[in-house]
Amino acid sequence: MRALRLTAWGEPPTQTEVEQPVPHGAEVLVRVEATGLCHSDLHVIDAAPGALPYRLPFTLGHEVAGRTLALGPDADGVAVGDRVVLYGPWGCGDCDRCAAGRDNYCDRRDTLAWHGAGLGRDGGMAECVLVPSARHLVPIGDLPADQAAPLSDAGLTSYHAVAGLRHALEEGTTTVVIGVGGLGHLAVQILRATTPSRVLAVDVREEALALADRSGADFGTLMRADTAGVLRKRSGGAGADAVLDFVGTTQTLELAAGILRPGGELAVVGSGGGRLTVSKPGVLPPGFRLSLPFWGTRPELAEVVALAQSGAIHVETEQFPLSAAPEAIGRLRRGRVRGRAVLVP
Ligand code: NAD
Ligand code: ZN
Ligand code: ZN
């Protein structure tokens, strides 16, 4: 079968033919219908040797939807032909976090040689993907594959980040979303669907602000020198109750810290490598709370799928054949993707 594999750090992935896997034990083989291309794939491709615990080579792709094709003799809870989305974070399977469907916070995360499908283990940028157990699958019914695949990371990560802030997002509050790409446009919709908070969006691209608008944001503005002032005014003067940063550079972290009101919450999702200095006293508002949410839980993935099935959220996608992955990757690098790029084998 065809697969897009990372064979050397810092080099573009290569399309190669590999053996189609055979499921053993509790494993499930899934025929891939669609796989999302995440900005994290670029961070992985560009990683310096030794920066990530993964062993090369492996097949990329951690946002995967498809249909089960074959089952190992011990696989249960799933039948051949089921349409599913992959729960991408694969933990050790033994710790209490994994037992509760919280593989994203597996206790052994640092000692495993992977973080999940397409992240150190063979993922879904291929015709088929081998899943260790049916506990990593969530049914999607007749949800189109290009909709379902991005839910497993862009949707789930955004949902998990919003869930961590929900207690602070009552009526009359303001949330700022920085970076309205694959994750950010779903975060705007999830905020809209699950909280009464006013949503303000920031991006460096006009096209992304148009997407924020279509996603239900109350207001969008370009990242400029006066953005903090513009956002503060739009919040009613007090500042933001919460900021979701899907970029994570020093510039966006400083904007976030600068517009939070006392008791405000900052969730940093983007892996932009920026820095923010914590000191007391200092510039951060009193009561400031910071979180670094990573991916999401299996029960949350089922909730995100239900939101999509109800029509409350919709992924904007641009589809590419798997053979055009280099073009899709190039466009994502240049900031030319609207919503999520999805590869179809
Ligand atoms: P994306 O490229 O689709 O979207 C990023 C958006 O940010 C784009 O619209 C871009 O124009 C905008 N942007 C870039 N620089 C900006 C700036 N200085 N100010 C304002 N906006 C700016 O990326 P994505 O796939 O949505 O991923 C977003 C980030 O989240 C990436 O860093 C990715 O690695 C990370 N991520 C983290 C997790 C997690 O679990 N924490 C999961 C998935 C992705
Ligand atoms: Zn991702
Ligand atoms: Zn575990």
Side-chain angles (χ1 to χ4, degrees):
M1 65 174 192
R2 282 176 300 123
L4 186 76
R5 289 172 71 77
L6 192 66
T7 55
W9 298 110
E11 299 285 333
T14 50
Q15 299 255 0
T16 46
E17 284 288 327
V18 295
E19 285 288 313
Q20 181 170 302
V22 176
H24 299 284
E27 292 170 343
V28 179
L29 186 68
V30 174
R31 180 173 292 290
V32 176
E33 293 181 353
T35 300
L37 175 65
C38 179
H39 209 109
S40 298
D41 290 314
L42 305 187
H43 295 313
V44 171
I45 293 167
D46 297 341
L52 290 167
Y54 316 158
R55 283 185 215 107
L56 297 177
F58 64 88
T59 301
L60 290 167
H62 57 271
E63 277 190 350
V64 195
R67 194 183 280 279
T68 56
L69 182 65
L71 310 179
D74 306 326
D76 63 2
V78 69
V80 170
D82 285 356
R83 293 192 71 249
V84 292
V85 64
L86 265 65
Y87 174 59
W90 294 350
C92 71
D94 295 326
C95 72
D96 60 349
R97 296 290 174 80
C98 288
R102 299 175 69 202
D103 289 54
N104 55 319
Y105 297 135
C106 169
D107 280 329
R108 289 186 51 212
R109 185 176 185 277
D110 291 338
T111 59
L112 300 171
W114 63 83
H115 292 143
L119 298 168
R121 296 279 292 268
D122 286 340
M125 291 185 187
E127 290 173 69
C128 294
V129 58
L130 189 65
V131 180
S133 142
R135 77 184 185 88
H136 298 299
L137 300 174
V138 169
I140 57 170
D142 57 5
L143 200 61
D146 75 306
Q147 289 295 304
L151 297 180
S152 63
D153 179 19
L156 175 58
T157 302
S158 299
Y159 187 87
H160 180 65
V162 171
L165 304 176
R166 195 164 289 135
H167 63 275
L169 301 181
E170 293 143 10
E171 192 72 47
T173 59
T174 299
T175 305
V176 173
V177 173
I178 305 177
V180 191
L183 271 67
H185 88 289
L186 290 172
V188 170
Q189 296 180 42
I190 290 164
L191 283 161
R192 261 281 101 86
T194 64
T195 80
S197 195
R198 180 188 299 122
V199 182
L200 312 181
V202 184
D203 205 288
V204 289
R205 302 183 290 148
E206 289 282 4
E207 195 187 24
L209 296 182
L211 177 58
D213 185 54
R214 287 197 296 285
S215 300
D218 294 279
F219 174 75
T221 186
L222 287 174
M223 187 68 155
R224 292 209 184 98
D226 65 342
T227 300
V230 171
L231 293 171
R232 187 171 295 281
K233 198 166 155 210
R234 285 283 172 166
S235 75
D241 296 271
V243 178
L244 284 154
D245 185 351
F246 292 102
V247 182
T249 58
T250 298
Q251 180 195 31
T252 60
L253 294 172
E254 287 179 350
L255 171 69
I259 56 174
L260 279 171
R261 63 193 287 201
E265 306 245 359
L266 170 57
V268 181
V269 179
S271 313
R275 284 167 185 264
L276 188 66
T277 302
V278 175
S279 70
K280 203 171 171 222
V283 296
L284 297 173
F288 169 81
R289 305 217 303 183
L290 172 69
S291 59
L292 302 172
F294 176 69
W295 223 326
T297 71
R298 187 187 184 284
E300 285 172 331
L301 179 55
E303 290 166 30
V304 176
V305 168
L307 268 186
Q309 284 170 329
S310 77
I313 60 172
H314 177 84
V315 190
E316 285 225 15
T317 65
E318 292 190 37
Q319 295 191 34
F320 298 81
L322 180 59
S323 57
E327 188 199 333
I329 290 171
R331 286 188 46 187
L332 183 61
R333 274 194 199 284
R334 294 192 301 278
R336 291 282 160 76
V337 172
R338 182 180 22 80
R340 199 50 138 191
V342 170
L343 302 174
V344 179

